[in-house]
Amino acid sequence: MFRDGIPDTAPVGPTRGTVLYADDALFPRVKARLQGTVWKGKYFHGDGTFTNRWAGGVRAGTAGTTVDSSWLDGQPSLTVQYPPTAPVFGNVRDELRQIGPGVWLGRSYDATTGRPKNWFMLQAR
């Protein structure tokens, strides 16, 4: 699904996030569910930036998006590279592609090692 997605369309406004699978865990589905209890999605500001949404209505962790080559298949994807000093997501790279109306599939990587971290989905609200 990710390979067939559209790379250049970013959401605008709030999205509901779901962590689907945590590659870097002994129990990947359990870790994904636990991550999903605190991370609730992203709010896209419409200017190429977004802020992560957390449980309790907290917004923190702002970054910008670009279109760059995906580490998965070398094709364009909407990409976020968090700086090493970013809280929670330091040295994380997210790649997103729209897979349906109002739905984006994302892949996170450890930006230092290139190892996959998880798959996630964003749905427009």
Side-chain angles (χ1 to χ4, degrees), residues 45-117:
H45 303 285
D47 62 358
T49 65
F50 71 90
T51 304
N52 282 292
R53 296 178 46 250
W54 301 92
V58 174
R59 288 188 187 173
T62 298
T65 62
T66 61
V67 176
D68 196 5
S69 297
S70 170
W71 289 359
L72 181 72
D73 60 10
Q75 298 303 309
S77 67
L78 188 62
T79 303
V80 174
Q81 177 71 54
Y82 293 93
T85 57
V88 181
F89 294 118
N91 277 326
V92 171
R93 173 188 172 98
D94 288 346
E95 299 178 352
L96 297 159
R97 290 190 184 145
Q98 188 173 10
I99 59 169
V103 180
W104 289 261
L105 183 60
R107 184 77 162 134
S108 290
Y109 295 90
D110 180 309
T112 304
T113 65
R115 290 174 48 172
K117 294 182 68 64

